[in-house]
mmCIF file of all heavy atoms in Angstrom:
data_model
loop_
_atom_site.group_PDB
_atom_site.id
_atom_site.type_symbol
_atom_site.label_atom_id
_atom_site.label_comp_id
_atom_site.label_asym_id
_atom_site.label_seq_id
_atom_site.Cartn_x
_atom_site.Cartn_y
_atom_site.Cartn_z
ATOM 1 N N ALA A 75 13.666 -11.724 0.859
ATOM 2 C CA ALA A 75 13.352 -13.142 0.707
ATOM 3 C C ALA A 75 14.183 -13.659 -0.447
ATOM 4 O O ALA A 75 14.607 -14.962 -0.342
ATOM 5 C CB ALA A 75 11.871 -13.359 0.420
ATOM 6 N N ILE A 76 14.570 -12.985 -1.527
ATOM 7 C CA ILE A 76 15.413 -13.484 -2.549
ATOM 8 C C ILE A 76 16.887 -13.217 -2.315
ATOM 9 O O ILE A 76 17.766 -13.428 -3.183
ATOM 10 C CB ILE A 76 15.030 -13.009 -3.947
ATOM 11 C CG1 ILE A 76 15.068 -11.443 -4.069
ATOM 12 C CG2 ILE A 76 13.633 -13.517 -4.323
ATOM 13 C CD1 ILE A 76 14.995 -10.941 -5.490
ATOM 14 N N GLY A 77 17.223 -12.707 -1.132
ATOM 15 C CA GLY A 77 18.676 -12.558 -0.780
ATOM 16 C C GLY A 77 19.270 -11.232 -0.869
ATOM 17 O O GLY A 77 20.508 -11.060 -0.716
ATOM 18 N N VAL A 78 18.356 -10.143 -1.193
ATOM 19 C CA VAL A 78 18.974 -8.822 -1.170
ATOM 20 C C VAL A 78 19.425 -8.452 0.259
ATOM 21 O O VAL A 78 18.668 -8.632 1.159
ATOM 22 C CB VAL A 78 17.938 -7.766 -1.782
ATOM 23 C CG1 VAL A 78 18.570 -6.375 -1.713
ATOM 24 C CG2 VAL A 78 17.621 -8.176 -3.198
ATOM 25 N N ASP A 79 20.689 -7.884 0.322
ATOM 26 C CA ASP A 79 21.114 -7.546 1.608
ATOM 27 C C ASP A 79 20.558 -6.165 2.044
ATOM 28 O O ASP A 79 21.014 -5.156 1.609
ATOM 29 C CB ASP A 79 22.731 -7.455 1.541
ATOM 30 C CG ASP A 79 23.288 -7.178 2.988
ATOM 31 O OD1 ASP A 79 22.594 -7.122 3.945
ATOM 32 O OD2 ASP A 79 24.583 -7.200 2.990
ATOM 33 N N LEU A 80 19.548 -6.258 2.871
ATOM 34 C CA LEU A 80 18.904 -5.073 3.314
ATOM 35 C C LEU A 80 18.461 -5.084 4.765
ATOM 36 O O LEU A 80 18.322 -6.228 5.330
ATOM 37 C CB LEU A 80 17.721 -4.687 2.395
ATOM 38 C CG LEU A 80 16.585 -5.696 2.349
ATOM 39 C CD1 LEU A 80 15.562 -5.372 3.521
ATOM 40 C CD2 LEU A 80 15.881 -5.542 1.052
ATOM 41 N N ASP A 81 18.132 -3.976 5.350
ATOM 42 C CA ASP A 81 17.592 -3.900 6.599
ATOM 43 C C ASP A 81 16.505 -2.834 6.685
ATOM 44 O O ASP A 81 16.469 -1.999 5.869
ATOM 45 C CB ASP A 81 18.704 -3.581 7.780
ATOM 46 C CG ASP A 81 18.344 -3.914 9.114
ATOM 47 O OD1 ASP A 81 17.253 -4.548 9.302
ATOM 48 O OD2 ASP A 81 19.007 -3.558 9.995
ATOM 49 N N ILE A 82 15.585 -3.029 7.715
ATOM 50 C CA ILE A 82 14.630 -1.909 7.862
ATOM 51 C C ILE A 82 15.000 -1.225 9.170
ATOM 52 O O ILE A 82 15.003 -1.799 10.308
ATOM 53 C CB ILE A 82 13.160 -2.503 7.927
ATOM 54 C CG1 ILE A 82 12.793 -3.203 6.586
ATOM 55 C CG2 ILE A 82 12.197 -1.356 8.244
ATOM 56 C CD1 ILE A 82 11.381 -3.720 6.597
ATOM 57 N N VAL A 83 15.476 -0.053 9.025
ATOM 58 C CA VAL A 83 16.103 0.708 10.137
ATOM 59 C C VAL A 83 15.011 1.615 10.836
ATOM 60 O O VAL A 83 14.314 2.238 10.176
ATOM 61 C CB VAL A 83 17.216 1.640 9.678
ATOM 62 C CG1 VAL A 83 17.870 2.405 10.820
ATOM 63 C CG2 VAL A 83 18.339 0.688 8.937
ATOM 64 N N ALA A 84 14.897 1.410 12.120
ATOM 65 C CA ALA A 84 13.840 2.156 12.904
ATOM 66 C C ALA A 84 14.048 3.584 12.690
ATOM 67 O O ALA A 84 15.103 4.141 12.692
ATOM 68 C CB ALA A 84 14.034 1.762 14.411
ATOM 69 N N GLY A 85 12.845 4.293 12.380
ATOM 70 C CA GLY A 85 12.903 5.680 12.278
ATOM 71 C C GLY A 85 13.373 6.195 10.925
ATOM 72 O O GLY A 85 13.359 7.343 10.586
ATOM 73 N N ARG A 86 13.754 5.225 10.029
ATOM 74 C CA ARG A 86 14.206 5.551 8.756
ATOM 75 C C ARG A 86 13.572 4.807 7.561
ATOM 76 O O ARG A 86 12.944 5.340 6.774
ATOM 77 C CB ARG A 86 15.803 5.299 8.685
ATOM 78 C CG ARG A 86 16.317 5.805 7.393
ATOM 79 C CD ARG A 86 17.819 6.254 7.533
ATOM 80 N NE ARG A 86 18.263 6.708 6.157
ATOM 81 C CZ ARG A 86 19.307 6.037 5.565
ATOM 82 N NH1 ARG A 86 19.974 5.131 6.120
ATOM 83 N NH2 ARG A 86 19.710 6.492 4.339
ATOM 84 N N GLY A 87 13.604 3.516 7.679
ATOM 85 C CA GLY A 87 12.981 2.677 6.644
ATOM 86 C C GLY A 87 13.915 1.740 6.005
ATOM 87 O O GLY A 87 15.018 1.436 6.700
ATOM 88 N N PRO A 88 13.620 1.215 4.785
ATOM 89 C CA PRO A 88 14.486 0.141 4.175
ATOM 90 C C PRO A 88 15.891 0.799 3.802
ATOM 91 O O PRO A 88 15.938 1.867 3.203
ATOM 92 C CB PRO A 88 13.758 -0.278 2.992
ATOM 93 C CG PRO A 88 12.328 0.180 3.210
ATOM 94 C CD PRO A 88 12.437 1.407 4.066
ATOM 95 N N VAL A 89 16.951 0.084 4.165
ATOM 96 C CA VAL A 89 18.284 0.518 3.756
ATOM 97 C C VAL A 89 18.884 -0.736 3.065
ATOM 98 O O VAL A 89 19.010 -1.828 3.525
ATOM 99 C CB VAL A 89 19.103 0.963 4.981
ATOM 100 C CG1 VAL A 89 20.550 1.210 4.566
ATOM 101 C CG2 VAL A 89 18.519 2.128 5.599
ATOM 102 N N ILE A 90 19.517 -0.471 1.840
ATOM 103 C CA ILE A 90 20.078 -1.502 0.988
ATOM 104 C C ILE A 90 21.569 -1.439 1.127
ATOM 105 O O ILE A 90 22.157 -0.360 0.970
ATOM 106 C CB ILE A 90 19.707 -1.188 -0.487
ATOM 107 C CG1 ILE A 90 18.134 -0.856 -0.632
ATOM 108 C CG2 ILE A 90 20.006 -2.490 -1.368
ATOM 109 C CD1 ILE A 90 17.112 -1.936 -0.380
ATOM 110 N N ALA A 91 22.209 -2.593 1.461
ATOM 111 C CA ALA A 91 23.680 -2.589 1.610
ATOM 112 C C ALA A 91 24.421 -2.134 0.323
ATOM 113 O O ALA A 91 25.326 -1.282 0.493
ATOM 114 C CB ALA A 91 24.202 -3.972 2.128
ATOM 115 N N GLU A 92 24.113 -2.770 -0.715
ATOM 116 C CA GLU A 92 24.814 -2.355 -1.979
ATOM 117 C C GLU A 92 23.770 -1.935 -3.052
ATOM 118 O O GLU A 92 23.077 -2.843 -3.688
ATOM 119 C CB GLU A 92 25.543 -3.658 -2.569
ATOM 120 C CG GLU A 92 26.784 -4.037 -1.789
ATOM 121 C CD GLU A 92 27.416 -5.223 -2.232
ATOM 122 O OE1 GLU A 92 27.540 -5.393 -3.484
ATOM 123 O OE2 GLU A 92 27.732 -6.108 -1.479
#
Side-chain angles (χ1 to χ4, degrees):
I76 59 165
V78 175
D79 187 357
L80 64 84
D81 197 7
I82 298 180
V83 178
R86 184 151 180 241
V89 174
I90 316 289
E92 289 175 45

